[in-house]
Amino acid sequence: MEHVDAPNDPGKAYRGDGVAPEQPVRSATSLKLWMEHTPSGTLTPMETAEYVAILDQEGRLLAAAAEEAGTGAKVPTCPEWQVADLVRHTGMVHRWAAAFVAEGHTSYHPDGGLPDLDGAELPAWFREGHGQLVETLRSAPPDVQCWHFLPAPSPLAFWARRQAHETTVHRFDAESARGGAPSEIAGAFAVDGIDELLLGFHALARSRVRTEKPRILRVRATDEAGDTNADGAVWTVRLSQEPPAAERGDAGDADCEVAGPVGRLYLALWNRLPFPALTGDASVAELWREKSAVI
């Protein structure tokens, strides 16, 4: 079965969709912001392990929600998908990512395609690949060398981070199909995911968020004090005819500001939820909605 594009499909352009992927962007700003998360200037093994732990948990939640919803259920957050499409896609991405680390591919390597599975076989296939990815990342040497497509302290740190966020967004998709209250997203992890999206994905030339007239979008977390890294987190995104230029901070005036709890902002920026609150020129937020899909 052919893959059905979903709104803001994390990582799609880098798996093997008939388009040559871009080389990693060595953005000094985005790499510096990520590396400043620790005094040593690099992600520690504990932090990389934390991404893997989140990936482990989120994959289990995704599989459980998919089973409860049923593979034929519609996915409200990705209207062109049924749960079967979601599970096939995420399971394929997990196997694709694991192969880079396990097999040491130092250049782009295509994915293995989508399986012709449905029903009870599909969640079982997903769990197998998810477990293999988790074990591969947990057991890989910290200095493993392989291809990756965003700035990172190391390839292992990149893949642990990327797959934790990939799986979290798609877990939310699965839970939207199941119905009921979705699982929480920790504030610090949501902040990290917004960093990855704004400072990583949209620093690439592939980003389609462009405007002839320069505009500024501000993204502001309104979480209460005490939520590590979330309290006061703010990003400024400068939009022009070039790829968006994002940075942490709120220097200068903005044409539009979107604000709210950081977990909701994280999902809104991935086009899974409406923006919690918006002030200023709504057309700037609409531009994001229309053009920010990672394709």
Side-chain angles (χ1 to χ4, degrees):
M1 177 176 177
E2 273 217 19
H3 168 58
V4 180
D5 288 348
N8 265 356
D9 181 4
K12 172 181 178 292
Y14 309 97
R15 296 193 323 272
D17 296 85
V19 178
E22 299 179 41
Q23 293 299 309
V25 171
R26 303 299 178 186
S27 165
T29 300
S30 58
L31 183 56
K32 178 174 180 288
L33 283 166
W34 190 16
M35 292 173 71
E36 283 177 347
H37 289 184
T38 60
S40 65
T42 61
L43 288 182
T44 67
M46 177 74 70
E47 288 170 316
T48 298
E50 186 174 8
Y51 286 124
V52 178
I54 291 169
L55 165 64
D56 189 9
Q57 174 181 293
E58 294 290 335
R60 294 172 189 270
L61 290 171
L62 190 161
E67 282 186 324
E68 290 182 54
T71 56
K74 293 288 187 181
V75 181
T77 49
C78 302
E80 295 183 354
W81 269 359
Q82 294 181 341
V83 167
D85 300 306
L86 170 65
V87 174
R88 291 185 191 110
H89 161 76
T90 313
M92 178 267 289
V93 171
H94 285 172
R95 285 165 167 79
W96 174 76
F100 283 103
V101 179
E103 300 171 20
H105 298 297
T106 55
S107 60
Y108 177 78
H109 190 75
D111 63 68
L114 299 171
D116 185 19
L117 296 174
D118 207 339
E121 290 182 309
L122 192 52
W125 171 84
F126 172 85
R127 286 188 172 100
E128 179 185 27
H130 170 253
Q132 289 171 352
L133 172 61
V134 169
E135 180 56 29
T136 294
L137 294 173
R138 279 182 174 156
S139 61
D143 60 352
V144 64
Q145 293 301 305
C146 61
W147 182 83
H148 57 292
F149 58 84
L150 292 178
S154 72
L156 182 61
F158 165 80
W159 284 111
R161 182 197 205 196
R162 175 80 290 276
Q163 291 309 300
H165 288 296
E166 171 90 6
T167 307
T168 297
V169 171
H170 285 320
R171 180 270 299 164
F172 182 80
D173 293 333
E175 291 181 343
S176 77
R178 180 202 63 195
S183 304
E184 293 291 326
I185 298 173
F189 182 69
V191 168
D192 181 77
I194 294 175
D195 275 345
E196 184 202 41
L197 181 62
L198 299 183
L199 305 174
F201 275 109
H202 285 286
L204 298 175
R206 190 178 293 274
S207 176
R208 298 181 303 125
V209 185
R210 312 290 180 98
T211 177
E212 291 188 9
K213 178 182 177 182
R215 313 304 299 272
I216 295 178
L217 172 66
R218 182 149 295 136
V219 178
R220 187 183 301 276
T222 58
D223 300 76
E224 299 291 334
D227 190 349
T228 305
N229 289 343
D231 177 36
V234 60
W235 298 259
T236 296
V237 188
R238 290 178 169 80
L239 306 176
S240 68
Q241 297 182 50
E242 299 299 320
E247 61 184 5
R248 284 284 199 101
D250 60 356
D253 297 329
D255 296 290
C256 176
E257 178 169 308
V258 294
V262 73
R264 289 185 60 85
L265 286 176
Y266 170 77
L267 292 168
L269 288 164
W270 277 113
N271 286 343
R272 263 50 186 195
L273 291 174
F275 287 115
L278 185 154
T279 55
D281 186 350
S283 70
V284 179
E286 186 60 27
L287 174 68
W288 182 270
R289 283 283 189 211
E290 292 178 354
K291 301 294 186 181
S292 67
V294 174
I295 61 173

